Amino acid sequence: MSQAMEDLFSVLRFPSISTDSKHAGDVRACGEWYVEKFKGMGLEAQLHETAKHPVVIARNERKEGRKTVLIYGHYDVQPVDPLNLWDSEPFEPVIKDGKIWARGATDNKGQHMAHLLGVEAMLKEKGELPVNLIFLLEGEEEIGSPNLPAFLEERKEELACDVIVVSDTGMVAEGEPTLGYGLRGIACCEVKVYGPDKDLHSGVYGGSVANPATVAARLMASLHDEQGRVAVPGFYDEVVPLEDWEREMWQSVPGMDDADLLAVTGSPALSGEEGYSPAERIWGRPTCEVNGMWGGYQGEGSKTVLPAEAGFKLSCRLVPDQEPATILQRVEAHLMAQAPEGVRVEIEMGHSGKAYVCDPHSEEGKAAQDALKDVFGKEPVLIREGGSIPIIQSMKEILGVDTLMLGLALPDCQIHSPNENFTVENFEKGIELCQVLLEKLG
Ligand code: BES
Ligand code: ZN
């Protein structure tokens, strides 16, 4: 195995699950690994404390007259359950069928390690980089980066840069270089419906009191209309419509046909907001999705119970210029207005972040397009992403800098799911891409 692959395997072995406090030590240990690695590469590196998981910052010597590039990534990962659906252990990486299998292989360890190793290769070969370089790796992305905005605010001067580079997004299809120039925002909440003060016999009392599970189902159903639009009043008020050039460009994006999406999602049919193509629905339109729901008996067989409570988790994906707090207020007002007498509804607000969009044709955007073309041998596709990386908009607001998103995740890489994987090919191409890009930006 190459040293580069050994290094990737080393980081993949850390179960750095940021949402699970039992793994806080693993997140930290993973961060410490990077500090040592960066120091070994001749960079100045340090682990910085936050209220939760630490941030790793590494840099070369800052020289006048050179562009400053900040490469961002996250070394935390999502939980691994359900474990029984994995074909191999999530934190014991293996290579099979040309892919590296492990939690974090694509999201995001594999992708940012490609940049780290690209920088290492350049330093080894030339002893110098064409740019002033800052690496910023955080351990809280998968929980919404709660401490990073304040951290950036405190260190604005130190982190001043000309452009940010991130590989934490997707390629539309294998072999199709993709430059992301937007991300959807996100706004999460949890809804709880309380009825009787204990679970009741559904025969003895059913029919006489409201059933919280039925109410929760009605509330969830009230979120969309027959046209697949979000039915929350005011939900679309600030939405910036898609531009004509985008709609046109996205008509022929590889990997986004109905057949491609049916295959990759495994769904029997596509569904969504009427009047928009799947690419437009995912990249340019806001949504409201139920991410989880509960209430009543879940075990084997039947138990005739009228549950005391039920609930669900929601997340809205947002587009420019939707404001997360405003959207959550409107969702709350809508749900409260739908709630019948006989239950108490409580809504707890979760994490959120704004959408991001930039100009893919800027000077740096063109450099990124050129680098993608050189490495993959094809003109890149320009897309916005359906997923969210809220800190990218925060970096725009705090550091005043745009981000180039050079996605290396493939549609079937299964991020956040069992059997996450990263192709060896994209790992190697990523290492090359970083070097080509730094040359062009320098
Ligand atoms: N890398 C993803 C985001 C992503 C994936 C963007 C694929 C585009 C294509 C990131 O790690 C992620 O999962 N973000 C979360 C948001 C966060 C606030 C929990 C998301 O999108 O759900
Ligand atoms: Zn993720």
Side-chain angles (χ1 to χ4, degrees), residues 111-169:
Q111 293 193 73
H112 68 244
M113 278 299 285
H115 286 273
L116 180 154
L117 294 160
V119 167
E120 182 180 41
M122 263 181 140
L123 285 168
K124 268 195 187 141
E125 200 178 306
K126 307 190 171 127
E128 178 67 299
L129 297 174
V131 297
N132 297 324
L133 185 73
I134 306 172
F135 263 105
L136 190 162
L137 302 180
E138 70 155 318
E140 297 186 338
E141 194 275 343
E142 299 290 5
I143 53 171
S145 306
N147 294 299
L148 196 49
F151 182 91
L152 295 175
E153 198 68 64
E154 269 168 38
R155 291 160 201 272
K156 272 206 268 241
E157 276 85 51
E158 237 175 276
L159 297 173
C161 56
D162 298 294
V163 66
I164 298 169
V165 172
V166 175
S167 286
D168 191 27
T169 53

Coordinates of all heavy atoms in Angstrom, one line a residue, residues 111-169:
Q111 N -11.7 13.1 1.0 CA -11.6 14.2 0.1 C -10.6 15.3 0.6 O -9.8 15.8 -0.2 CB -13.0 14.9 -0.1 CG -14.0 14.0 -0.8 CD -15.2 14.8 -1.2 OE1 -15.1 15.7 -2.1 NE2 -16.3 14.6 -0.6
H112 N -10.5 15.5 1.9 CA -9.6 16.5 2.3 C -8.2 15.9 2.5 O -7.2 16.6 2.3 CB -10.0 17.3 3.6 CG -10.0 16.5 4.8 ND1 -11.2 16.3 5.6 CD2 -9.0 15.9 5.6 CE1 -10.9 15.6 6.6 NE2 -9.6 15.3 6.7
M113 N -8.1 14.6 2.7 CA -6.8 14.0 2.7 C -6.1 14.1 1.4 O -4.9 14.2 1.2 CB -6.9 12.5 3.2 CG -6.9 12.3 4.7 SD -5.5 13.0 5.6 CE -4.3 11.7 5.2
A114 N -6.9 14.0 0.3 CA -6.4 14.2 -1.0 C -5.6 15.5 -1.1 O -4.5 15.6 -1.7 CB -7.4 14.0 -2.1
H115 N -6.2 16.5 -0.6 CA -5.6 17.9 -0.6 C -4.3 17.9 0.2 O -3.3 18.4 -0.2 CB -6.5 19.0 -0.2 CG -7.6 19.3 -1.2 ND1 -7.4 20.2 -2.2 CD2 -8.8 18.7 -1.4 CE1 -8.5 20.2 -3.0 NE2 -9.4 19.3 -2.5
L116 N -4.4 17.3 1.4 CA -3.3 17.3 2.3 C -2.1 16.5 1.7 O -1.0 17.0 1.7 CB -3.7 16.6 3.6 CG -2.7 16.4 4.7 CD1 -3.4 16.3 6.1 CD2 -1.8 15.2 4.5
L117 N -2.4 15.4 1.0 CA -1.4 14.6 0.4 C -0.9 15.3 -0.9 O 0.3 15.1 -1.2 CB -1.9 13.2 0.2 CG -2.2 12.4 1.5 CD1 -3.1 11.3 1.2 CD2 -0.9 12.0 2.1
G118 N -1.7 16.0 -1.5 CA -1.3 16.8 -2.7 C -0.2 17.9 -2.3 O 0.8 18.0 -2.9
V119 N -0.5 18.5 -1.1 CA 0.4 19.5 -0.6 C 1.7 18.9 -0.2 O 2.8 19.3 -0.5 CB -0.3 20.3 0.6 CG1 0.7 21.1 1.3 CG2 -1.4 21.2 0.0
E120 N 1.6 17.7 0.5 CA 2.8 17.0 0.9 C 3.7 16.6 -0.3 O 4.9 16.8 -0.3 CB 2.4 15.7 1.6 CG 3.6 14.9 2.2 CD 3.3 13.7 2.9 OE1 2.3 12.9 2.5 OE2 3.9 13.4 4.0
A121 N 3.0 16.2 -1.4 CA 3.8 15.8 -2.6 C 4.5 17.0 -3.2 O 5.7 16.9 -3.5 CB 2.8 15.2 -3.6
M122 N 3.8 18.1 -3.2 CA 4.4 19.4 -3.7 C 5.6 19.8 -2.9 O 6.6 20.2 -3.4 CB 3.4 20.5 -3.7 CG 2.7 20.7 -5.0 SD 1.5 22.1 -4.9 CE 1.8 22.8 -6.5
L123 N 5.4 19.7 -1.6 CA 6.5 20.1 -0.7 C 7.7 19.2 -0.8 O 8.8 19.7 -0.8 CB 6.0 20.1 0.8 CG 5.1 21.3 1.2 CD1 4.4 21.1 2.5 CD2 5.9 22.6 1.2
K124 N 7.4 17.9 -1.0 CA 8.5 17.0 -1.1 C 9.3 17.2 -2.4 O 10.5 17.2 -2.5 CB 8.0 15.5 -1.2 CG 7.9 14.9 0.2 CD 7.7 13.4 0.1 CE 7.5 12.8 1.5 NZ 6.5 11.8 1.5
E125 N 8.5 17.5 -3.5 CA 9.1 17.6 -4.8 C 9.8 19.0 -5.0 O 10.9 19.0 -5.5 CB 8.0 17.5 -5.8 CG 8.5 17.2 -7.2 CD 7.3 17.0 -8.1 OE1 6.3 16.2 -7.8 OE2 7.2 17.7 -9.2
K126 N 9.2 20.0 -4.5 CA 9.7 21.4 -4.8 C 10.2 22.1 -3.5 O 10.8 23.2 -3.6 CB 8.6 22.2 -5.4 CG 8.0 21.6 -6.6 CD 7.1 22.5 -7.4 CE 6.7 21.8 -8.7 NZ 5.3 21.8 -9.0
G127 N 9.9 21.6 -2.4 CA 10.3 22.2 -1.1 C 9.6 23.5 -0.8 O 9.9 24.2 0.1
E128 N 8.6 23.8 -1.7 CA 7.9 25.1 -1.6 C 6.5 25.0 -2.2 O 6.3 24.1 -3.0 CB 8.8 26.1 -2.3 CG 8.3 27.5 -2.4 CD 8.3 28.3 -1.1 OE1 7.5 27.8 -0.2 OE2 9.0 29.3 -0.9
L129 N 5.6 25.9 -1.8 CA 4.3 25.9 -2.4 C 4.2 27.2 -3.2 O 4.8 28.2 -2.8 CB 3.2 25.8 -1.3 CG 3.2 24.6 -0.5 CD1 2.1 24.7 0.6 CD2 2.8 23.3 -1.3
P130 N 3.3 27.2 -4.2 CA 3.1 28.4 -5.0 C 2.3 29.5 -4.3 O 2.1 30.6 -4.8 CB 2.4 28.0 -6.3 CG 1.8 26.7 -6.0 CD 2.6 26.1 -4.8
V131 N 1.7 29.1 -3.1 CA 0.8 30.1 -2.4 C 1.1 30.1 -0.9 O 1.7 29.2 -0.4 CB -0.7 29.6 -2.6 CG1 -1.1 29.7 -4.1 CG2 -0.9 28.2 -2.1
N132 N 0.6 31.1 -0.3 CA 0.5 31.0 1.2 C -0.7 30.1 1.5 O -1.8 30.3 1.0 CB 0.2 32.4 1.8 CG 1.3 33.3 1.5 OD1 2.5 33.0 1.5 ND2 0.9 34.6 1.3
L133 N -0.5 29.1 2.3 CA -1.5 28.0 2.4 C -2.0 27.9 3.9 O -1.1 27.9 4.8 CB -1.0 26.7 2.0 CG -2.1 25.6 2.0 CD1 -3.1 25.8 0.9 CD2 -1.4 24.2 1.9
I134 N -3.3 27.9 4.1 CA -3.8 27.6 5.4 C -4.7 26.4 5.3 O -5.6 26.4 4.4 CB -4.7 28.8 5.9 CG1 -3.9 30.1 5.9 CG2 -5.2 28.5 7.3 CD1 -4.7 31.4 6.2
F135 N -4.5 25.4 6.1 CA -5.5 24.3 6.3 C -6.3 24.6 7.5 O -5.8 24.9 8.6 CB -4.7 23.0 6.5 CG -4.5 22.2 5.2 CD1 -3.3 22.1 4.6 CD2 -5.6 21.5 4.7 CE1 -3.1 21.4 3.5 CE2 -5.4 20.7 3.5 CZ -4.1 20.7 2.9
L136 N -7.6 24.4 7.3 CA -8.5 24.5 8.5 C -9.4 23.3 8.5 O -10.2 23.1 7.6 CB -9.4 25.8 8.4 CG -10.2 26.2 9.7 CD1 -10.6 27.6 9.6 CD2 -11.4 25.3 9.9
L137 N -9.2 22.4 9.5 CA -10.0 21.2 9.6 C -10.8 21.2 10.9 O -10.2 21.4 11.9 CB -9.1 19.9 9.5 CG -8.2 19.8 8.3 CD1 -7.3 18.5 8.5 CD2 -8.9 19.7 7.0
E138 N -12.1 21.1 10.7 CA -12.9 21.2 12.0 C -13.5 19.8 12.3 O -13.5 18.9 11.5 CB -14.0 22.2 11.8 CG -15.1 21.8 10.8 CD -16.4 22.5 11.1 OE1 -16.8 22.6 12.3 OE2 -17.1 22.9 10.1
G139 N -14.0 19.7 13.6 CA -14.5 18.4 14.1 C -16.0 18.5 14.4 O -16.5 17.7 15.1
E140 N -16.7 19.5 13.8 CA -18.1 19.7 14.2 C -19.0 20.0 13.0 O -20.1 20.4 13.1 CB -18.2 21.0 15.1 CG -17.5 20.8 16.4 CD -17.8 22.0 17.3 OE1 -18.2 23.1 16.8 OE2 -17.6 21.9 18.5
E141 N -18.5 19.7 11.8 CA -19.3 20.0 10.6 C -20.6 19.2 10.6 O -21.7 19.7 10.3 CB -18.6 19.7 9.3 CG -19.2 20.3 8.1 CD -20.3 19.4 7.4 OE1 -20.4 18.2 7.7 OE2 -21.1 20.0 6.6
E142 N -20.6 17.9 11.0 CA -21.8 17.1 10.9 C -22.8 17.4 12.0 O -23.9 16.9 12.0 CB -21.4 15.6 11.0 CG -20.5 15.1 9.8 CD -21.2 15.0 8.5 OE1 -22.3 15.5 8.4 OE2 -20.5 14.6 7.5
I143 N -22.4 18.3 12.9 CA -23.4 18.8 13.9 C -23.7 20.3 13.7 O -24.2 21.0 14.5 CB -23.0 18.5 15.3 CG1 -21.6 19.0 15.6 CG2 -23.1 17.0 15.6 CD1 -21.2 19.0 17.1
G144 N -23.4 20.8 12.5 CA -23.7 22.1 12.1 C -22.7 23.2 12.5 O -23.0 24.4 12.6
S145 N -21.5 22.8 12.8 CA -20.4 23.8 13.1 C -20.8 24.8 14.1 O -20.6 26.0 13.9 CB -19.9 24.5 11.8 OG -19.6 23.6 10.8
P146 N -21.3 24.4 15.3 CA -21.8 25.4 16.3 C -20.8 26.4 16.8 O -21.1 27.5 17.1 CB -22.3 24.5 17.4 CG -21.6 23.2 17.3 CD -21.4 23.0 15.8
N147 N -19.5 25.9 16.8 CA -18.5 26.8 17.4 C -17.6 27.5 16.4 O -16.7 28.3 16.8 CB -17.6 26.0 18.4 CG -18.5 25.6 19.6 OD1 -19.0 26.5 20.4 ND2 -18.6 24.3 19.8
L148 N -17.7 27.1 15.2 CA -16.7 27.6 14.2 C -16.9 29.1 13.8 O -15.9 29.8 13.7 CB -16.6 26.7 13.0 CG -15.4 26.9 12.0 CD1 -14.1 26.9 12.8 CD2 -15.4 25.8 11.0
P149 N -18.2 29.6 13.7 CA -18.3 31.0 13.3 C -17.6 31.9 14.3 O -16.9 32.8 13.9 CB -19.8 31.2 13.3 CG -20.4 29.9 12.9 CD -19.5 28.9 13.6
A150 N -17.8 31.7 15.6 CA -17.2 32.5 16.6 C -15.7 32.4 16.5 O -14.9 33.4 16.7 CB -17.7 32.2 18.0
F151 N -15.2 31.2 16.3 CA -13.8 31.0 16.2 C -13.2 31.8 15.0 O -12.1 32.4 15.1 CB -13.6 29.5 16.0 CG -12.1 29.0 15.8 CD1 -11.4 28.6 17.0 CD2 -11.5 29.0 14.6 CE1 -10.1 28.2 16.9 CE2 -10.2 28.6 14.5 CZ -9.5 28.2 15.6
L152 N -13.9 31.8 13.9 CA -13.4 32.5 12.7 C -13.4 34.0 13.0 O -12.5 34.7 12.6 CB -14.4 32.3 11.5 CG -14.5 30.9 10.9 CD1 -15.5 30.8 9.8 CD2 -13.1 30.4 10.4
E153 N -14.5 34.5 13.7 CA -14.6 35.9 14.0 C -13.4 36.3 14.8 O -12.8 37.4 14.6 CB -15.9 36.0 14.8 CG -16.4 37.4 14.9 CD -16.9 38.0 13.5 OE1 -17.9 37.5 13.0 OE2 -16.3 39.0 13.1
E154 N -13.0 35.5 15.8 CA -11.9 35.8 16.7 C -10.5 35.8 15.9 O -9.6 36.5 16.3 CB -11.7 34.7 17.8 CG -12.5 35.0 19.0 CD -12.5 33.8 19.9 OE1 -11.5 33.0 19.9 OE2 -13.5 33.5 20.5
R155 N -10.5 35.0 14.9 CA -9.2 34.9 14.2 C -9.2 35.4 12.7 O -8.5 34.9 11.9 CB -8.7 33.4 14.2 CG -8.4 32.9 15.5 CD -8.4 31.4 15.6 NE -8.6 31.1 17.0 CZ -7.5 30.9 17.8 NH1 -6.3 31.0 17.3 NH2 -7.7 30.6 19.0
K156 N -10.1 36.3 12.5 CA -10.2 36.9 11.1 C -8.9 37.3 10.5 O -8.7 37.0 9.3 CB -11.0 38.2 11.2 CG -12.5 38.1 11.2 CD -13.1 39.4 10.6 CE -13.4 40.4 11.7 NZ -14.9 40.7 11.7
E157 N -8.1 38.0 11.2 CA -6.8 38.5 10.6 C -5.9 37.3 10.2 O -5.4 37.3 9.1 CB -6.1 39.4 11.6 CG -6.6 40.8 11.5 CD -7.8 41.1 12.4 OE1 -7.7 40.7 13.6 OE2 -8.8 41.6 12.0
E158 N -5.7 36.4 11.2 CA -4.9 35.2 11.0 C -5.4 34.4 9.8 O -4.6 33.7 9.1 CB -5.1 34.3 12.2 CG -4.0 33.9 13.0 CD -4.5 33.1 14.2 OE1 -4.9 33.8 15.2 OE2 -4.6 31.9 14.1
L159 N -6.7 34.4 9.6 CA -7.3 33.5 8.6 C -7.6 34.3 7.3 O -8.2 33.7 6.3 CB -8.5 32.8 9.1 CG -8.3 31.9 10.3 CD1 -9.6 31.4 10.8 CD2 -7.4 30.7 9.9
A160 N -7.1 35.5 7.2 CA -7.4 36.3 6.0 C -6.8 35.5 4.8 O -5.7 35.0 4.8 CB -6.7 37.7 6.1
C161 N -7.6 35.5 3.7 CA -7.2 34.7 2.5 C -7.9 35.3 1.3 O -8.8 36.1 1.4 CB -7.5 33.2 2.7 SG -9.2 32.9 3.0
D162 N -7.4 34.8 0.1 CA -8.0 35.3 -1.2 C -9.1 34.3 -1.7 O -10.0 34.8 -2.4 CB -6.9 35.4 -2.2 CG -5.9 36.4 -1.8 OD1 -6.2 37.6 -1.7 OD2 -4.7 36.0 -1.5
V163 N -9.0 33.1 -1.3 CA -10.0 32.1 -1.8 C -10.0 30.9 -0.9 O -8.9 30.6 -0.3 CB -9.7 31.7 -3.3 CG1 -8.4 31.0 -3.4 CG2 -10.8 30.9 -3.9
I164 N -11.1 30.2 -0.8 CA -11.2 29.0 0.0 C -11.5 27.9 -1.0 O -12.2 28.0 -2.0 CB -12.4 29.2 1.0 CG1 -12.1 30.3 2.0 CG2 -12.6 27.9 1.8 CD1 -13.2 30.8 2.8
V165 N -10.9 26.7 -0.7 CA -11.0 25.5 -1.5 C -11.6 24.4 -0.6 O -11.1 24.2 0.5 CB -9.7 25.1 -2.1 CG1 -9.8 23.7 -2.8 CG2 -9.1 26.1 -3.0
V166 N -12.7 23.8 -1.1 CA -13.3 22.7 -0.3 C -13.6 21.6 -1.3 O -14.3 21.8 -2.3 CB -14.6 23.2 0.3 CG1 -15.3 22.1 1.0 CG2 -14.4 24.3 1.3
S167 N -13.2 20.4 -0.9 CA -13.7 19.2 -1.5 C -14.6 18.4 -0.5 O -14.1 17.7 0.3 CB -12.6 18.3 -2.1 OG -12.0 18.9 -3.2
D168 N -15.9 18.7 -0.5 CA -16.8 18.1 0.4 C -18.2 18.0 -0.2 O -19.2 18.0 0.4 CB -16.9 18.9 1.7 CG -17.6 18.1 2.8 OD1 -17.6 16.9 2.8 OD2 -18.2 18.8 3.7
T169 N -18.1 18.0 -1.6 CA -19.4 17.9 -2.4 C -19.2 16.8 -3.4 O -18.3 16.1 -3.4 CB -19.6 19.3 -3.0 OG1 -18.5 19.7 -3.7 CG2 -19.9 20.4 -2.0

